[in-house]
Amino acid sequence: ACLIISWLATLITLIVVESNTDYATNKELHWFSTFWRVGSIIFGGGQVVLPLLLSDVVQYETACAARDAVTNVCTSYVTAETATSWITEQQFFAGLALAQAMPGPLFNFSAYIGALAARRAGKNVIVGAMCAWFGLFGPGVMLIFAVLPFWGKFRKWKTYKRALPGLNASAVGLVVSAAVSIVLKVIEASPFPKATVCIGLMCAFGSHVVQLPKGALTLIQAPIVIVVGGLLGLLAHAAEAT
């Protein structure tokens, strides 16, 4: 109970303090607060965190790109990152690709974002990485240890068992929703959208449909697919350049 109260008190305090302080003068606080908030509301898996992180760490602004010569009415708009954006959209997706290509939980992606945000802000990159990493992992760790004393009894409750299929379905739905959101954003940001879709489908086929012979190759099937996807990306860039 103490851990739950501590987690909730920390969350409320950080939200209140963050909303009443300026990012320019309290960057470390804002980094830690943002990741603590995101880590506190995640349900469904690491992929669910991606759209939330993207909206928090990459800020956009819409500006007029062209105006009508007669009426002076804006006829087209362009969206770009603001000067106060923690990192760029390109850095976000590059880090996501790197995190997905390496072993370990996706939440390690937070350290990458924190380090880049700190470097862009002229702060210590280790401090930035730690603020983001501890902020994202902290709530989950606290809540796990908080519910452990009650878990043995809780999982035997009939109400919980009856609700479990619905909880599982909602978790899967959140993962699918997050995946679709990120896929659409990646396609939008790609210099070759059609090739990106093709590469994604080929990699999905290679990781979930293709069955390699049992043995050492099975253990490295995912890394093989990632490397092949990278090579296809290089070919797509070369084709686009020509």
Side-chain angles (χ1 to χ4, degrees), residues 35-36 38-50 52-53 95-96 99-100 102-114 129 132-141 144:
F35 281 93
W36 187 275
V38 172
S40 297
I41 60 177
I42 288 303
F43 175 75
Q47 286 72 19
V48 178
V49 78
L50 297 176
L52 296 175
L53 283 181
L96 175 59
Q100 293 285 59
M102 298 178 67
L106 181 60
F107 277 13
N108 288 333
F109 181 41
S110 61
Y112 165 87
I113 294 177
W133 193 85
F134 281 109
L136 194 61
F137 271 95
V141 173
I144 286 174

Side-chain angles (χ1 to χ4, degrees), residues 2-43:
C2 291
L3 285 175
I4 295 177
I5 294 173
S6 299
W7 158 74
L8 186 59
T10 302
L11 176 63
I12 295 174
T13 302
L14 287 172
I15 291 175
V16 172
V17 174
E18 180 186 3
S19 62
N20 289 279
T21 56
D22 183 49
Y23 173 73
T25 56
N26 298 275
K27 292 183 174 66
E28 293 87 352
L29 171 65
H30 280 251
W31 297 335
F32 183 77
S33 176
T34 296
F35 281 93
W36 187 275
R37 171 171 47 81
V38 172
S40 297
I41 60 177
I42 288 303
F43 175 75

Side-chain angles (χ1 to χ4, degrees), residues 2 10-11 19-20 27 34 38 83 85 87 107 132 147-148 153 155 168-169 172 174-175 181 211 216 222 225 228 237:
C2 291
T10 302
L11 176 63
S19 62
N20 289 279
K27 292 183 174 66
T34 296
V38 172
S85 182
I87 62 176
F107 277 13
V147 301
L148 275 179
K153 294 181 179 179
R155 66 181 181 179
N168 289 336
V172 172
L174 288 172
V175 172
S181 175
Q211 297 292 329
V225 170
V228 171
H237 263 294

Side-chain angles (χ1 to χ4, degrees), residues 186-187 190-203 229 232-240:
V186 168
I187 294 173
S190 174
F192 36 82
K194 293 181 180 179
T196 297
V197 173
C198 292
I199 293 172
L201 292 175
M202 292 172 64
C203 289
L232 291 174
L234 292 175
L235 292 175
H237 263 294
E240 186 75 13

